[in-house]
Amino acid sequence: MRFDKKVVLRNLTGLATALALSLVLSSCSQHRYGVAEPVVAVEYASAPPSVSPSAPLEFSSAVRALKLGHKAEAASMLARVGSEHPGTIWAGRSSFLSGVLAVERGEAGAIAMFEGADALKETIPDYLALYRARAYAIDNDHDKAIAALDSLINDYTSSSLVPEALFLRSSYLMDSGRNGEAADAFEAIASSRPESSMASRALLKAAEAHLGLGNNMAAAALIKKIYVDHPADKA
């Protein structure tokens, strides 16, 4: 399952831009998650007095480096924001993006970075839950990964990430050897979204799960369903 990291970065960039502009230009803005400028001001005001006003600009520069594809430079900049401004919202946001980079690299132990970003539960809780799940899965802790996805699916029902979370959850069920549950979950995804591009992939994964159970006939029936119902996706 592919996740568009650019979407995550775009959301974080919008947030960083709103924060930086509110501090530098005293302008009012609102990013896509609905955190208005007064809330941003309160968050910044609650930081320790010793925090440098440069923190939001440093964070914004790190996000800009990420957008340009300079991942190593961005990782270094994010680490510096976290070390120089500990306990602030900037450190939390930097920790989140550092975790995203670690997950994309498949690095073990990335979960610690997301645990350092708890403040984002107020702004992007769905993304936080999704990436925590992916980090747990990299560590082969599929039970915690599934629990994190359950929280996203059940608590943030209107999130655009729910379909991806459902697919990931089904995949983690299969990865943990729970092929029967995985087959049912994948088939439910296909049934609930028959017109989506996800349907054929879900059916294919369901067939794979059935093969793992030795249910060859059930697997064959699902493959046939892909050819009949989703001819454009059969390749």
Side-chain angles (χ1 to χ4, degrees):
M1 185 71 184
R2 291 184 66 247
F3 294 89
D4 191 346
K5 185 168 60 183
K6 291 181 180 178
V7 174
V8 182
L9 293 178
R10 185 166 62 249
N11 289 322
L12 268 292
T13 303
L15 178 58
T17 301
L19 291 165
L21 289 176
S22 69
L23 291 170
V24 178
L25 304 176
S26 298
S27 63
C28 293
S29 60
Q30 184 164 342
H31 65 82
R32 65 177 292 178
Y33 286 98
V35 178
E37 189 247 89
V39 176
V40 170
V42 169
E43 287 180 330
Y44 188 78
S46 66
S50 60
V51 173
S52 168
S54 67
L57 299 179
E58 292 172 14
F59 175 78
S60 184
S61 295
V63 172
R64 189 178 305 111
L66 276 176
K67 290 183 66 179
L68 293 173
H70 304 155
K71 295 181 180 179
E73 178 186 357
S76 177
M77 295 168 71
L78 291 168
R80 186 164 60 249
V81 172
S83 64
E84 293 182 357
H85 309 285
T88 68
I89 56 175
W90 308 108
R93 292 180 178 122
S94 295
S95 186
F96 174 78
L97 282 183
S98 294
V100 169
L101 289 172
V103 164
E104 296 301 327
R105 292 191 297 263
E107 294 180 2
I111 189 62
M113 299 178 187
F114 297 113
E115 290 173 349
D118 273 347
L120 293 179
K121 286 181 178 179
E122 299 301 319
T123 53
I124 52 170
D126 49 351
Y127 276 104
L128 189 58
L130 182 74
Y131 275 94
R132 274 181 166 161
R134 295 184 66 187
Y136 279 129
I138 291 171
D139 292 342
N140 291 314
D141 194 339
H142 292 104
D143 287 342
K144 286 186 178 179
I146 290 168
L149 292 172
D150 283 340
S151 71
L152 192 167
I153 293 164
N154 296 325
D155 297 341
Y156 309 104
T157 55
S158 62
S159 170
S160 62
L161 297 180
V162 168
E164 295 174 277
L166 287 167
F167 198 99
L168 259 189
R169 184 183 188 281
S170 305
S171 299
Y172 294 159
L173 286 171
M174 192 159 67
D175 290 344
S176 60
R178 297 157 66 178
N179 286 327
E181 293 176 69
D184 290 342
F186 278 123
E187 289 185 58
I189 291 171
S191 296
S192 64
R193 296 173 173 81
E195 304 302 322
S196 74
S197 60
M198 187 179 290
S200 60
R201 289 183 288 123
L203 289 172
L204 188 61
K205 294 293 288 185
E208 183 182 343
H210 278 297
L211 286 174
L213 293 167
N215 298 336
N216 295 344
M217 295 298 291
L222 291 174
I223 297 298
K224 180 179 179 180
K225 185 175 179 63
I226 294 173
Y227 272 76
V228 173
D229 295 348
H230 307 280
D233 300 332
K234 62 184 179 182

